[in-house]
Amino acid sequence: MWLNRCAGSARNHASIDESEDGYGPFLPVEEFEGSEKAERRSFHLLQSRKHFTSYLTCSTLWGSTILAALILISIILSIAKGLWGIEDEPDSIFADWGRPGTGTASLAWYPTDFLRDVIPVPCHSHNDYWRKVPVFSALHAGCTGIEADVWLFNNDSELYVGHDRAALTPYRTFQSLYVNPLLDILAHNNPETPLYNDTHDRGVFDTDPDQTIVLLVDLKTDGPTTFAEVQAQLEPLRAGNWLSYVQDGVVYERQVTVVATGRTPFDVLTQNSTYRDIFFDAPLNKLYEDAEALDTDDDGGPFVYNTTNSFYASVNFKRAIGSVWSGLSAKQLRLIRGQIKGAHRRGLKVRYWNTPAWPVSLRNRIWHVLMTEGADILNVDDLRAATRKSW
């Protein structure tokens, strides 16, 4: 019994000693396994946090590197544009035009040297007077057609330019925005020097001096009276022998071809049968001919609209062709081909206006189809897109 008591006392003492050594009492198997799982979860959680922190650090470093590279590329491109004269926007060279202190506030300054390396493109600057600088923005982009909407009021011989009456101002006139700038450019390109025989044969583009510029004048007020005033205000261009004209049934193309549209009366325009220097914008929708029909020796002439009285044959695309959101149908394509055939048989240049402007993919597709089918000029608002021919 004494031994048993001693053994029990020893066991109790050993238990006390283990506790004092810091190891604590032994746990049951179930409690030990639970503790091990908790430690394992804690370890994995710690490792996951380390990986996530490392990922964030690497992502931040890569993001900063990419951003720095993009900024550097942007700076290099900006420097390159400045050195080589690369312009993203047609109007960028006119950034200071019209500002006080630049000499342009009263429309007296025109940069006539900027066209020396411009390649002409068959596009028409729709509502050209909305550009940063009318005429020059379009020509700098390479457009061969420009447009002016003109208004004439009682007791006033001035032709004002604008889309509607609310946009008219005393300084924005047919003379100041169109006639005078064209005169300046043509005079600059045809100087009188001992080394140059001044025959007045060069147009606005140095790269293609034979290219005529089409000035489309849209009459917004009474046809006969406004037309007569347009004729009168074209006199400086006429006197310089810059205007294309018809004389005794023969067409002579010069540096500027004036085409009248809007409320222009066809009968008034064609009154003078011996000489004319304003041409008509013929109705393209009235010139349709079956594109699939075989041509015969009989051309169907004489035509009412022909090269002696008209230049363009134009129509509202949306009204004449219809909606093309789902693409051009076979019927619409036949209509386009028939209109183009009819215009070309009369020697006229085809122009569709009010073509889709959005989405860009649709606009580009319609532009591509029209030019592929034989349209002669694109009626555009986006000069950059049209002249870069990315469609």
Side-chain angles (χ1 to χ4, degrees):
M1 293 180 63
W2 180 81
L3 288 173
N4 291 336
R5 286 197 297 272
C6 286
S9 176
R11 284 194 298 269
N12 291 338
H13 182 71
S15 177
I16 294 173
D17 287 346
E18 286 175 357
S19 178
E20 287 180 353
D21 287 340
Y23 293 99
F26 289 105
L27 297 174
V29 174
E30 294 80 2
E31 293 184 16
F32 177 77
E33 290 178 349
S35 175
E36 187 178 12
K37 290 179 179 179
E39 289 181 0
R40 191 179 296 115
R41 284 197 300 270
S42 177
F43 174 78
H44 286 307
L45 180 61
L46 181 61
Q47 290 296 108
S48 298
R49 287 178 178 175
K50 288 181 178 179
H51 287 308
F52 183 68
T53 302
S54 177
Y55 173 77
L56 286 179
T57 302
C58 291
S59 298
T60 302
L61 290 174
W62 275 108
S64 300
T65 303
I66 293 172
L67 179 61
L70 291 175
I71 293 174
L72 180 60
I73 292 172
S74 178
I75 293 173
I76 292 173
L77 288 176
S78 297
I79 295 173
K81 290 176 183 178
L83 291 175
W84 286 287
I86 303 172
E87 301 290 352
D88 280 337
E89 297 296 338
D91 288 346
S92 59
I93 66 169
F94 304 116
D96 295 326
W97 191 85
R99 292 182 180 178
T102 62
T104 66
S106 61
L107 308 180
W109 173 81
Y110 301 101
T112 55
D113 290 328
F114 72 103
L115 293 173
R116 59 182 174 270
D117 56 354
V118 176
I119 306 297
V121 177
C123 68
H124 172 81
S125 178
H126 178 233
N127 292 339
D128 181 73
Y129 43 84
W130 280 346
R131 309 291 176 196
K132 175 69 176 179
V133 185
V135 176
F136 287 97
S137 295
L139 296 183
H140 179 250
C143 282
T144 57
I146 52 180
E147 177 180 336
D149 293 358
V150 298
W151 304 72
L152 180 68
F153 301 105
N154 294 333
N155 302 320
D156 193 344
S157 62
E158 200 67 77
L159 286 171
Y160 300 99
V161 174
H163 192 66
D164 50 40
R165 293 194 179 199
L168 304 180
T169 68
Y171 298 105
R172 297 176 66 82
T173 66
F174 186 56
Q175 287 282 329
S176 65
L177 295 183
Y178 291 92
V179 176
N180 292 339
L182 288 172
L183 284 169
D184 287 346
I185 296 174
L186 292 169
H188 177 84
N189 286 356
N190 293 272
E192 295 184 7
T193 70
L195 301 177
Y196 178 70
N197 182 18
D198 183 18
T199 56
H200 282 202
D201 285 336
R202 296 177 59 81
V204 302
F205 298 111
D206 282 348
T207 57
D208 189 358
D210 294 329
Q211 175 64 54
T212 189
I213 293 299
V214 180
L215 174 57
L216 183 69
V217 185
D218 190 343
L219 277 56
K220 294 296 186 181
T221 46
D222 178 69
T225 55
T226 308
F227 181 78
E229 189 58 39
V230 170
Q231 280 187 309
Q233 295 203 15
L234 288 172
E235 182 55 34
L237 288 168
R238 185 179 297 114
N241 195 29
W242 302 121
L243 297 180
S244 298
Y245 63 96
V246 177
Q247 188 167 20
D248 297 326
V250 180
V251 179
Y252 299 89
E253 186 174 89
R254 301 292 294 162
Q255 291 74 25
V256 179
T257 301
V258 179
V259 180
T261 187
R263 296 188 177 183
T264 301
F266 182 70
D267 58 339
V268 173
L269 183 147
T270 56
Q271 275 181 351
N272 190 337
S273 59
T274 57
Y275 177 89
R276 284 189 297 272
D277 52 27
I278 300 179
F279 297 81
F280 194 64
D281 187 19
L284 179 59
N285 56 308
K286 295 183 179 180
L287 307 183
Y288 175 86
E289 295 183 7
D290 187 355
E292 297 178 358
L294 296 176
D295 293 334
T296 62
D297 293 336
D298 181 11
D299 62 2
F303 298 114
V304 174
Y305 304 107
N306 55 67
T307 55
T308 66
N309 57 48
S310 303
F311 184 85
Y312 280 148
S314 307
V315 74
N316 183 325
F317 181 88
K318 184 176 181 180
R319 189 176 301 166
I321 305 302
S323 174
V324 291
W325 277 93
S326 58
L328 281 166
S329 66
K331 180 180 178 181
Q332 289 173 319
L333 195 55
R334 284 196 301 272
L335 182 57
I336 290 172
R337 289 171 177 170
Q339 291 174 347
I340 292 175
K341 177 181 179 180
H344 285 176
R345 282 230 301 151
R346 292 158 175 80
L348 308 183
K349 299 187 182 300
V350 173
R351 181 181 70 99
Y352 286 96
W353 56 278
N354 196 25
T355 54
W358 185 90
V360 172
S361 59
L362 175 62
R363 178 202 68 187
N364 290 350
R365 186 162 66 251
I366 296 301
W367 283 359
H368 178 77
V369 169
L370 290 178
M371 297 305 284
T372 301
E373 293 298 331
D376 298 282
I377 194 161
L378 287 177
N379 200 83
V380 303
D381 294 300
D382 189 339
L383 299 180
R384 180 184 178 189
T387 55
R388 289 190 176 186
K389 294 186 177 181
S390 57
W391 36 271

